[in-house]
Amino acid sequence: MVIVLVVSNLRLMIENYMKYGVLICIRCHDYRRQDILLGVVLYLLVPCHLFVAYLIELAAARQTQRGVGRQKKAEDGDPISSLGEPRPPLLPSRWALVAFAHTLNVSICLGLTSAVVYWAIHHPVIGTLCEMHAVVVGMKICSYAFTNRDLRRALLSANGPVALPAIYASCPYPQNITIANLSYFWWAPTLVYQPVYPRSHEIRWAFILKRAGEVAGLSMFVWIASAQYAAPVLRNSLDTIQTLNVPSLLERLMKLSTISLVIWLAGFFALFQSYLNALAEITMFGDREFYADWWNSPSVGAYWRTWNLPVFHFMKRHVFSPLVGQGWSPYAASAVVFFLSGVLHEMLVGVPTHNIIGVAFAGMILQVPLIMFTLPLERMKGPNGKVAGNVIFWVSFCLVGQPLAALLYFFAWQAKYGSVSKQRRVLA
């Protein structure tokens, strides 16, 4: 089987070379000097919003300390309060101002970055890196704000301080509101803020060098595969999309599915296995579980719960669980999660390509009925249901999701800047 796979793929490589020649060109690029300068400026400015979040939380922490001090004075002066009577809640109206300040900070972070990327950065790769950095920082700010809000509520509870995880005892609120604490969270490979994390005891530099080599090698592989194999298929599909030739479109989707899957797997390994583990080693971050065995997913929902654990933990802790705790049904809470995820996906794909066409957003929203359809298969007793769910996942993953989205966004890009746009100008 291995020999057959190697020979068949080697034949495709030879066929690609005979048909197109070498398409890889180091000097052939489409980025501008302005793209690099603005990308660097955005990369340096976006973390400033973390400092703004720190200032907001510092003001909230000082207000909390004053409230706790007033409460202790009241209890010392009132003997009835010391008999175990519930304390009045200390949640002043200023907490709404804190929430508004954080919301404004995150909105400026994401809005300003998206505007600059959409209107001023032409190259989609540079724009994607800038947009991804802003989204990660924005999610970290949200987690920082939500977690410290919960810690304030626990400290100012009407029934006395609420029990917290034992690991938090080494850095209780508000002692965690420091630049050093926030800086560690900024670099830690997680999107969920905690005052304290499990830490390793030493840094293994040989491990870091190995992971860095993997990132460099896989990044080179993704670039070569995209330029030599994916780009010709996408360019040859433009006429098919324009004429809406369904059989030819299906053939292109199936042809593109193989190389898109290979590129996605290489990118996945480079990010989740190599880069995040290297970053975890540098920061001595103890929790190294960034993904689970998503390839064995018995349903579409299982895939979304296992392939990207940092985002899954963020959505579960700060969106799904609070909504369920407020009485929402799990299905409604899941719909909200995928709505937010769809917005973020459209920002990460549509904004850098300068084509907000809603394909990425619709793809995420359509995951909800697909999850509900495959959920009974996951719950079936015996292996048959799980195997059927896994087959449905792989078909939707390989043939419908990524290839179709790549074709549509590539067509939209060409319609705006490339050959399709030129054809339209000539016809006009």
Side-chain angles (χ1 to χ4, degrees):
M1 179 62 71
V2 175
I3 296 176
V4 172
L5 290 175
V6 171
V7 171
S8 60
N9 283 280
L10 184 61
R11 181 191 64 81
L12 293 175
M13 293 173 65
I14 296 174
E15 179 184 347
N16 178 274
Y17 174 76
M18 294 175 61
K19 187 175 183 179
Y20 303 109
V22 178
L23 300 177
I24 302 167
C25 179
I26 298 178
R27 295 184 178 181
C28 302
H29 58 77
D30 195 26
Y31 63 83
R32 307 164 182 173
R33 185 180 180 184
Q34 172 181 298
D35 295 345
I36 298 178
L37 293 177
L38 288 176
V40 172
V41 171
L42 284 178
Y43 185 84
L44 297 176
L45 286 180
V46 165
C48 294
H49 293 276
L50 281 168
F51 181 71
V52 174
Y54 161 75
L55 294 179
I56 296 171
E57 284 301 323
L58 183 63
R62 290 178 177 175
Q63 177 66 25
T64 302
Q65 288 176 319
R66 286 194 290 268
V68 172
R70 288 194 299 267
Q71 181 63 52
K72 288 183 177 180
K73 289 182 180 179
E75 290 180 353
D76 293 340
D78 186 1
I80 299 179
S81 299
S82 61
L83 298 178
E85 295 292 331
R87 299 184 302 170
L90 292 174
L91 291 176
S93 59
R94 295 182 184 179
W95 297 158
L97 182 61
V98 172
F100 174 78
H102 279 303
T103 303
L104 182 63
N105 184 32
V106 174
S107 300
I108 294 175
C109 174
L110 296 178
L112 181 62
T113 302
S114 299
V116 173
V117 169
Y118 188 86
W119 296 109
I121 297 181
H122 175 73
H123 200 275
V125 175
I126 298 176
T128 299
L129 293 176
C130 295
E131 195 72 15
M132 185 177 297
H133 184 215
V135 168
V136 169
V137 170
M139 294 176 74
K140 283 178 177 280
I141 293 173
C142 290
S143 184
Y144 187 69
F146 288 144
T147 302
N148 282 306
R149 177 205 62 187
D150 295 339
L151 293 174
R152 277 195 300 274
R153 289 178 175 176
L155 181 64
L156 300 174
S157 173
N159 297 320
V162 177
L164 297 172
I167 193 174
Y168 289 9
S170 60
C171 188
Y173 183 85
Q175 296 179 19
N176 64 305
I177 308 300
T178 64
I179 288 291
N181 186 275
L182 180 57
S183 298
Y184 180 81
F185 174 55
W186 173 27
W187 287 102
T190 180
L191 296 174
V192 176
Y193 173 73
Q194 293 181 189
V196 186
Y197 294 96
R199 304 285 293 273
S200 57
H201 301 292
E202 61 179 354
I203 299 177
R204 299 170 294 173
W205 293 106
F207 179 87
I208 295 173
L209 291 176
K210 183 178 180 181
R211 300 285 86 81
E214 292 172 353
V215 172
L218 288 169
S219 299
M220 187 69 66
F221 173 81
V222 168
W223 171 58
I224 293 174
S226 300
Q228 185 67 38
Y229 298 100
V233 177
L234 289 170
R235 283 193 292 266
N236 294 337
S237 304
L238 294 176
D239 293 337
T240 301
I241 299 178
Q242 279 188 291
T243 58
L244 293 179
N245 190 331
V246 176
S248 297
L249 183 60
L250 292 176
E251 184 269 336
R252 291 295 171 183
L253 283 175
M254 288 186 285
K255 191 172 183 179
L256 185 61
S257 63
T258 302
I259 187 61
S260 66
L261 177 62
V262 171
I263 292 173
W264 189 91
L265 290 175
F268 172 84
F269 193 94
L271 176 60
F272 287 92
Q273 176 62 26
S274 302
Y275 175 75
L276 290 183
N277 270 291
L279 188 59
E281 190 68 26
I282 293 173
T283 57
M284 302 174 67
F285 190 76
D287 186 3
R288 307 292 176 91
E289 190 178 16
F290 304 116
Y291 61 92
D293 57 339
W294 55 266
W295 47 90
N296 293 326
S297 298
S299 67
V300 176
Y303 163 75
W304 289 109
R305 294 193 300 268
T306 53
W307 90 273
N308 187 342
L309 290 183
V311 172
F312 169 73
H313 291 319
F314 175 91
M315 290 295 183
K316 182 179 180 180
R317 177 164 178 177
H318 297 307
V319 181
F320 182 83
S321 295
L323 291 177
V324 173
Q326 293 177 8
W328 289 51
S329 69
Y331 296 107
S334 297
V336 173
V337 168
F338 278 94
F339 175 84
L340 295 177
S341 183
V343 173
L344 294 178
H345 275 76
E346 190 65 35
M347 290 176 61
L348 291 172
V349 181
V351 172
T353 58
H354 313 287
N355 286 287
I356 304 177
I357 57 178
V359 172
F361 176 80
M364 293 304 300
I365 295 299
L366 292 176
Q367 298 298 310
V368 177
L370 197 56
I371 289 172
M372 297 178 66
F373 175 74
T374 56
L375 183 60
L377 299 175
E378 182 182 2
R379 295 177 175 176
M380 285 178 60
K381 296 182 179 179
N384 294 333
K386 294 178 175 58
V387 171
N390 187 253
V391 170
I392 294 174
F393 154 68
W394 276 109
V395 170
S396 64
F397 182 76
C398 295
L399 297 179
V400 180
Q402 297 182 59
L404 182 59
L407 277 177
L408 293 176
Y409 279 102
F410 184 80
F411 179 80
W413 173 272
Q414 292 295 326
K416 197 169 187 178
Y417 300 108
S419 58
V420 177
S421 177
K422 294 178 182 178
Q423 293 175 8
R424 288 178 177 176
R425 287 197 293 268
V426 170
L427 293 176

